[in-house]
Amino acid sequence: VCVVGPKVRRELFGYDAALGKLVKVNDVWLEVVGVLRASGGGASFEGVQVGSTAEEIYVPVTTAQRKFDRPPLKSPLDEIVVRLDAATPVELVAE
C-alpha cells in the first residue's frame, strides 16, 4: 500500500480517482490507499522547512523493508517521520 502526493496522483491518473489503483515503484506494485491534500507550498515540521509533499510516495516502513529488499547499510530508507499528538511528551516517546 502507499499514499501519494497530489502531483503524483495528477501525473499518473489525471482526473481519475487514484484510490485502489496500482503504482509501480521500481519493480514493486503498490495499491494507492490515500492521496495527500495539496499544501500550496512547502511544509514545515517543528519549525524546519521540509519541502512539498506533492511529489512524494509514502509506504509503511514494514512494507519498505519487506518489498524493497536491500542490504541493511544500503537501504534507500533515509527518513522516518513520526507525528505525535500535541499532548504527548516528546521525551517519553523518544525513549
Side-chain angles (χ1 to χ4, degrees), residues 22-90:
L22 297 177
V23 173
K24 189 173 186 182
V25 177
N26 294 343
D27 291 325
V28 177
W29 288 98
L30 301 167
E31 180 184 356
V32 177
V33 296
V35 177
L36 297 170
R37 177 179 48 198
S39 63
S44 65
F45 177 73
E46 296 291 323
V48 176
Q49 230 19 50
V50 292
S52 172
T53 58
E55 297 180 358
E56 301 287 328
I57 298 175
Y58 294 96
V59 297
V61 68
T62 53
T63 300
Q65 290 171 331
R66 190 177 67 251
K67 296 287 189 177
F68 300 101
D69 187 25
R70 302 263 192 255
L73 296 177
K74 295 183 181 184
S75 174
L77 180 65
D78 61 3
E79 178 180 26
I80 296 176
V81 177
V82 178
R83 180 172 292 164
L84 303 175
D85 184 89
T88 305
V90 176

